[in-house]
DNA sequence: CGCGAAGTTGAAACAGGTCAATGCTTGTGG
DNA sequence: CCACAAGCATTGACCTGTTTCAACTTCGCG
């Protein structure tokens, strides 16, 4: 049982966990109000679909552009991000991946990834064999629809990011990014009051917003000096959410109940 | 049979065509090598799924953000684009929609659109009742998978655009946009030699690339003066494709066979 | 012929990029 | 326990790509 035929080995390391996988019925994510309820049949199917779990350390690539993996994943714990490397060496972060998000659909659908996915924190993923995705479509139309939901949801995230990078100035882009992440974490019950975990470096923020590192720093300092946010020690605190919303020019949307494979 | 309960009426007008709909088996798009072959059963299902055709004039909105349509569409003829309006009045074009692309999936999946779709030229769309999408998932897993393919494909387009807007300068963004559209048209056999139709105004290019109108104009002129492209009369001619590819820093990908609903 | 939409151009202002240097942590090995 | 390196954050000075403003022209069309 070699470590990985199909998982890329770049980065700090990709180590299958030794611990026993959690049964889907007792998956902690499923309990969250954000996720829709499953039927017994669906739960049983997903349980059979699940091939194991993958534990990776911060900085590892889980999926690499140009490769085709034998597995697809659901992120269970931790943060990740999808990104594209440009020929000139620049990196564009497309969106951040939070627990419950599905990874690697492109592998199943195009046979090759056109972006990469790197894990931002130590993380745990649920592993599904890509081949079986077809039987999911054949036997579980409800779940197939959920996969489509997840794909459309991810696209909506990228749409918003494109609009932000294309049309807002530095202050607005960063305000929007912080707000957006905070809102998503709220849906996952990972917010305490006005504070949440925030494992991004300024380089990540720069790569996500299309700004330079230096300008990102200066803009962040402005937000901090203006007492809109506090940032440090891997935590983010929104002091004046209304102020951020105004900067981002974004009143926010109410979250929707979401599916989950 | 009133003109439209469910189609938005903004823009020049949305008029159901009077002509008889083309049967799917004789759909001119399906003949293109770009599209995958259907089984008899699939073809029959799609034929039953099809509720009619919609003919719209240039400038009409087919789908509006915040609304929920009773139909979803496949673009049969013409050009369209997906866009988001920002509170400050700015418009970001997310991607351009060409024949064979699917429109309105968000309506089915989220119950409401988060972007709008406007038609750029006179256009013709194939209309499907949104309610029936569920039976497609139930009875035609192959087609359901195709819907997912189309969603993932659209997301890949937006990914590329985000990377372009976030990381390239004006020259690169515009070069990339022109190249990308040209490549997609090649797949649709709508290219003659080095020339294709090109119905975009400079405002569209500006809104797609995140540039100002003025700077878009100046950058386009640079490309023209540098004899990389010719542009005018609604046509685009790529004089030095390699030069554009270099500016865009993009060697290009070979196209993949694609599904089509 | 005249009007509105689209394209063109120059000048000035500014947001953001680039370069360069400094500090602050944290982890590692001697 | 200290020295050192590596990664990350911070800041100032300078430069440039892009925006904004304000004309003016050309094109398409009724």
């Amino acid at each position: 049982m070699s470590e990985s035929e199909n998982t890329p080995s770049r980065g700090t390391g990709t180590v299958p966990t030794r611990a026993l996988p959690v049964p889907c019925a007792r998956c902690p994510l499923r309990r969250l109000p954000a996720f829709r309820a499953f039927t017994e049949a669906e739960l049983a199917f997903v349980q059979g679909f699940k091939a194991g779990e993958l534990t990776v350390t911060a900085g590892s690539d889980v999926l690499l552009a140009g490769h085709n993996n034998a597995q697809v994943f659901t992120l269970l714990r931790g943060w990740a991000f999808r990104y594209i490397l440009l020929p000139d060496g620049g990196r564009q972060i497309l969106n951040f991946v939070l627990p419950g998000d599905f990874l690697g659909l492109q592998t199943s659908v195009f046979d090759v990834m056109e972006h990469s996915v790197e894990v931002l924190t130590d993380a745990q993923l649920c592993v599904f064999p890509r081949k079986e995705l077809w039987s999911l479509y054949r036997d579980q139309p409800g779940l197939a629809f959920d996969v489509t939901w997840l794909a459309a949801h991810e696209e909506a995230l990228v749409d918003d990011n494109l609009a932000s990078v294309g049309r807002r100035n530095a202050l607005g882009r960063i305000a929007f990014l912080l707000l957006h992440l905070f809102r998503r974490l709220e849906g996952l019950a990972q917010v305490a009051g006005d504070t949440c975990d925030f494992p991004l470096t300024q380089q990540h923020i720069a790569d996500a917003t299309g700004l330079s590192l230096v300008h990102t720093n200066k803009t962040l300092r402005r937000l901090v000096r203006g007492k809109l946010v506090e940032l440090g020690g891997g935590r983010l605190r929104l002091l004046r959410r209304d102020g951020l919303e105004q900067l981002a020019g974004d009143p926010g949307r109410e979250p929707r109940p979401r599916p989950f494979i």
Side-chain angles (χ1 to χ4, degrees), chain A:
Chain A
M1 199 185 292
S2 81
E3 171 173 323
S4 64
E5 284 180 55
N6 302 301
T7 45
S9 58
R10 214 184 85 179
T12 328
T14 288
V15 184
T17 183
R18 304 289 175 228
L20 290 179
V22 185
C24 296
R26 250 174 296 142
C27 179
L29 273 184
R30 200 167 295 287
R31 275 198 285 279
L32 292 172
F35 296 99
R36 82 161 174 87
F38 265 19
T39 66
E40 283 299 324
E42 284 171 337
L43 202 56
F45 182 92
V46 172
Q47 180 70 66
F49 186 27
K50 178 170 177 175
E53 283 173 16
L54 180 66
T55 304
V56 289
T57 58
S60 312
D61 280 305
V62 176
L63 295 160
L64 282 179
H67 290 229
N68 68 351
N69 278 63
Q71 299 113 7
V72 295
F73 307 95
T74 288
L75 183 60
L76 291 181
R77 191 171 48 74
W79 292 42
F81 58 92
R82 300 196 310 123
Y83 68 96
I84 287 182
L85 288 180
L86 288 117
D88 68 8
R91 175 174 78 170
Q92 178 66 43
I93 292 183
L94 302 167
N95 65 273
F96 292 95
V97 180
L98 296 180
D101 290 338
F102 195 67
L103 287 173
L105 184 60
Q106 280 196 354
T107 282
S108 308
V109 153
F110 301 149
D111 220 68
V112 66
M113 296 288 293
E114 295 187 351
H115 58 263
S116 304
V117 178
E118 179 179 325
V119 132
L120 198 62
T121 65
D122 289 352
Q124 194 170 5
L125 302 103
C126 203
V127 181
F128 306 107
R130 158 190 170 178
K131 293 263 176 62
E132 297 303 317
L133 196 63
W134 167 246
S135 57
L136 184 149
Y137 270 76
R138 177 164 29 77
D139 300 335
Q140 294 287 335
L143 294 178
F145 200 79
D146 286 348
V147 170
T148 305
W149 191 102
L150 289 163
H153 177 251
E154 186 172 271
E155 177 178 341
L157 289 185
V158 185
D159 285 351
D160 283 343
N161 290 343
L162 174 53
S164 193
V165 171
R167 291 291 151 213
R168 284 193 251 263
N169 62 18
L171 220 37
R173 291 186 210 178
I174 292 187
F176 179 79
L177 175 64
L178 300 183
L179 260 176
H180 227 250
L181 284 172
F182 195 86
R183 288 200 197 116
R184 290 176 66 195
L185 290 170
E186 280 183 321
L188 295 169
Q190 294 189 11
V191 164
D194 56 1
T195 306
C196 67
D197 278 334
F198 196 77
L200 310 203
T201 67
Q202 297 189 352
Q203 185 68 62
H204 291 121
I205 301 179
D207 288 348
T209 52
L211 298 167
S212 72
L213 177 58
V214 172
H215 198 57
T216 298
N217 177 285
K218 289 174 179 170
T219 309
L220 270 177
R221 293 319 356 274
R222 272 216 277 164
L223 288 176
V224 170
R225 264 194 311 255
K227 302 219 183 304
L228 291 167
V229 305
E230 271 174 28
L231 202 48
R235 311 274 298 167
L236 165 67
R237 186 165 173 212
L238 301 193
L239 296 172
R240 291 199 30 229
R241 191 157 170 173
D242 58 332
L244 284 182
E245 280 166 357
Q246 191 168 11
L247 278 178
D250 176 41
R253 262 194 292 275
E254 63 270 39
R256 354 161 212 286
R258 53 176 295 165
F260 168 58
I261 304 293

